[in-house]
């Protein structure tokens, strides 16, 4: 049997029986290497290690560690108070606080799952106590956490830039700012509609301005982290990998010496959690690399590219086709392996059709990230369901208006390229 066909059938089989995505790709690779007899089994080990043997990839564990240090330094409480003082008193105020807080926190964590499991769980409890439906609070949190991989720094953007030579990490980081804000605005719009319909009232009054200034002043060090990262990269002071190390140092200084809530004795637990999160990411990347290697050797990307080009699609028709395909693909595959497998296939085709690579990258990343809130495999749904103790059925029902809002944002990003490309091109990124 053809090796590429065997690989695809094997991965579908293992996914269908419930094997985690990373191991499904790895097992499919093993089965293909054994049965096809075209390549030595040693390929699995070699390509898995090659997949994680990358200097830019070192940014991933450092950004994860920076987020853990900031969380350990009471950052979550600071950002919650900062966001809540402006919107908490309005109708649906805690819903707006949820959106604004997670948007700020995404500029530090780079992970949707971390946003949902950390500050997201706190916000769900606050909304539940204030009389909001727990299922609605969980759906709002899951939908807003999508912004985590969109607003810089972003782990998935680092991986995409490693797979596609026509974009840079810095360019993608800057490109994610406007789409991230659009997503937040869309989630606020849904919260406004639902809160008016269900009469979710705000709490109290806006604090007096002296207190607002004190809270804002206290939040500034935390809010400066993404500014330092992007500003330093644009000024040429450091690369994305070096920026991640700067982020760790800055997070340590903030937690220990500015907020004074980070204890030295907490560092072992923080390092252990960071190591576990890093290991889970690297396992996915490594096994996806071995899977992608067989596809590349079997010329699957080139064949698919030639087939798509032969269809003589216009750039807009191609983008519509890609959106539909990625939305379906993302239902079953997590974003990281999705990027590893699809970016080398679809990126060159988009270039041939004259589509800006940054614009196309944002479409791919947003589509695959949306898969995290679409059943049956959506990872964010399971995390949010667990931390909120809301069954999957009610959670999915409350999710529907948010999915429509995400659809509107996706259409805007697809047909208005400047939303993704203007900022990075203006700042000289590619």
């Amino acid at each position: 049997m053809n090796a590429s066909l065997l690989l695809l059938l094997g991965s579908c089989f293992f996914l269908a029986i419930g094997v985690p995505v990373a191991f499904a790709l790895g097992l499919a690779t093993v089965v293909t290497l054994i049965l096809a007899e075209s390549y030595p089994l040693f390929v699995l080990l070699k390509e898995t290690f090659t997949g994680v043997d990358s200097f830019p990839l070192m940014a991933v564990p450092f950004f994860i560690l920076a987020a853990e240090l900031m969380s350990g330094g009471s950052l979550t409480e600071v950002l919650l108070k900062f966001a809540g003082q402006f919107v908490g008193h309005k109708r649906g105020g805690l819903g707006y606080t949820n959106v604004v807080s997670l948007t700020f926190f995404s500029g530090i964590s780079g992970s949707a799952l971390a946003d949902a499991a950390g500050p997201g769980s706190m916000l769900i409890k606050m909304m539940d106590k204030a009389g909001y439906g727990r299922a609605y609070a969980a759906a709002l949190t899951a939908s807003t956490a999508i912004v985590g991989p969109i607003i810089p720094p972003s782990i998935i953007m680092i991986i995409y830039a490693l797979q596609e030579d026509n974009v840079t990490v810095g360019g993608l980081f800057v490109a994610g700012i406007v789409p991230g804000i659009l997503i937040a605005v869309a989630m606020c719009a849904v919260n406004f509609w639902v809160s008016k319909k269900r009469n979710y009232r705000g709490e109290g009054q806006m604090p007096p301005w002296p207190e607002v200034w004190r809270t804002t002043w206290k939040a500034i060090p935390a809010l400066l982290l993404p500014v330092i990262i992007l500003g330093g990269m644009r000024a040429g002071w450091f690369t994305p990998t070096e920026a991640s190390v700067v982020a760790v140092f800055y997070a340590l200084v903030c937690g220990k010496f500015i907020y004074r809530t980070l204890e030295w004795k907490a560092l072992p637990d923080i390092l252990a959690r960071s190591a576990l999160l890093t290991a889970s990411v690297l396992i996915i990347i490594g096994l996806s690399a071995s899977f992608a290697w067989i596809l590349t050797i079997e010329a699957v990307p080139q064949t698919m590219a030639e087939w798509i080009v032969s269809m003589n699609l216009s750039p807009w028709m191609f983008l519509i086709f890609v959106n539909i395909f990625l939305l379906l693909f993302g239902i079953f595959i997590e974003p990281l392996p999705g990027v590893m497998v699809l970016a080398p296939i679809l990126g060159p085709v988009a270039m041939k059709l004259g589509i800006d690579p940054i614009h196309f990258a944002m479409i791919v990343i947003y589509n695959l990230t949306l898969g995290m809130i679409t059943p049956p495999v959506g990872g964010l749904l399971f995390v949010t369901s667990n931390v909120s103790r809301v069954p999957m059925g009610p959670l999915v029902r409350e999710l529907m208006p948010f999915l429509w809002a995400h659809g509107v944002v996706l259409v805007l990003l697809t047909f208005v390229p400047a939303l993704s490309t203007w900022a990075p091109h203006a700042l000289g990124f590619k």
Side-chain angles (χ1 to χ4, degrees), residues 121-289:
S121 62
M122 295 177 57
L123 288 158
I124 291 170
K125 292 175 184 176
M126 291 169 59
M127 293 178 70
D128 183 42
K129 289 181 180 178
Y132 291 74
R134 182 174 277 264
Y136 171 73
L140 175 62
T141 299
S143 302
T144 306
I146 288 294
V147 82
I150 305 298
I151 288 184
S154 166
I155 293 172
I156 192 172
M157 288 180 180
I158 296 171
I159 306 306
Y160 190 101
L162 290 175
Q163 303 303 310
E164 174 58 79
D165 294 335
N166 294 307
V167 295
T168 63
V169 173
L172 291 182
F173 276 8
V174 176
I177 296 174
V178 173
I181 294 172
L182 273 178
I183 294 170
V185 170
M187 298 304 101
C188 285
V190 175
N191 180 67
F192 172 81
W193 176 72
V194 173
S195 298
K196 186 175 181 180
K197 182 179 177 182
R198 301 181 184 178
N199 199 26
Y200 290 149
R201 296 186 176 276
E203 291 190 335
Q205 301 292 324
M206 184 174 176
W209 279 107
E211 184 178 340
V212 170
W213 286 118
R214 285 195 298 271
T215 304
T216 302
W217 179 257
K218 189 175 182 180
I220 285 176
L223 298 174
L224 279 178
L225 179 57
V227 176
I228 291 172
I229 292 171
L230 293 175
M233 291 167 56
R234 175 64 187 91
W237 295 340
F238 35 69
T239 65
T241 305
E242 293 163 348
S244 65
V245 180
V246 172
V248 170
F249 177 76
Y250 182 79
L252 186 61
V253 170
C254 282
K256 183 61 181 175
F257 302 107
I258 297 179
Y259 296 120
R260 299 181 181 179
T261 52
L262 181 63
E263 301 291 339
W264 293 123
K265 62 182 179 182
L267 287 181
D269 287 339
I270 290 174
L271 291 170
R273 288 197 304 272
S274 301
L276 287 173
L277 286 171
T278 300
S280 65
V281 171
L282 294 183
I283 286 172
I284 294 174
I285 293 171
L287 293 177
S288 298

